Amino acid sequence: MIHNMHLAKVGGISESIPRKQEQEIANPTINFRDILGSQMEAPVQFSRHAALRLNDRNINLTGEQINRVADGIGKANEKGIRDSLVLVDDVALVVNIKSRTVITAINQVTENVFSNIDGAVIV
């Protein structure tokens, strides 16, 4: 009598697989949220500081501008830049390239000195 075991044919040879192992195979540990999160990552992230600066300075980025920033991040990454000034229209963004995170946002017209960057991209 087989109890808590199932038989599986593998390559023509019968072998037993314990029920627990069978359940682990049937129920992988990756869940839908993990898969969705990895597929739906935003092309650009905004730090809390950057979000506050965007709000305080009445800077509204369109979807098209964010896509241009994402393209600029890709170009900066190709050149090995770690922290970049990304200029998009009348807005200057300081971006950490590796994490694709905007650190701060500035109206280009009001500010003209940027520190802690090792490259610049105009998109």
Side-chain angles (χ1 to χ4, degrees), residues 47-121:
S47 70
R48 181 175 167 85
H49 176 79
L52 290 172
R53 293 298 163 260
L54 287 167
N55 188 43
D56 291 346
R57 296 171 178 158
N58 294 320
I59 301 170
N60 296 308
L61 296 173
T62 65
E64 185 267 335
Q65 287 173 315
I66 291 173
N67 288 336
R68 287 170 45 207
V69 170
D71 290 341
I73 290 171
K75 290 176 184 177
N77 190 42
E78 289 173 5
K79 295 293 184 181
I81 297 172
R82 293 181 308 271
D83 293 295
S84 180
L85 175 67
V86 177
L87 302 174
V88 57
D89 300 330
D90 63 342
V91 178
L93 306 168
V94 176
V95 181
N96 178 276
I97 300 304
K98 183 178 179 183
S99 68
R100 302 183 68 82
T101 302
V102 175
I103 306 302
T104 194
I106 302 134
N107 291 23
Q108 232 178 302
V109 179
T110 61
E111 304 280 336
N112 59 11
V113 176
F114 302 94
S115 60
N116 299 325
I117 62 169
D118 60 341
V121 180

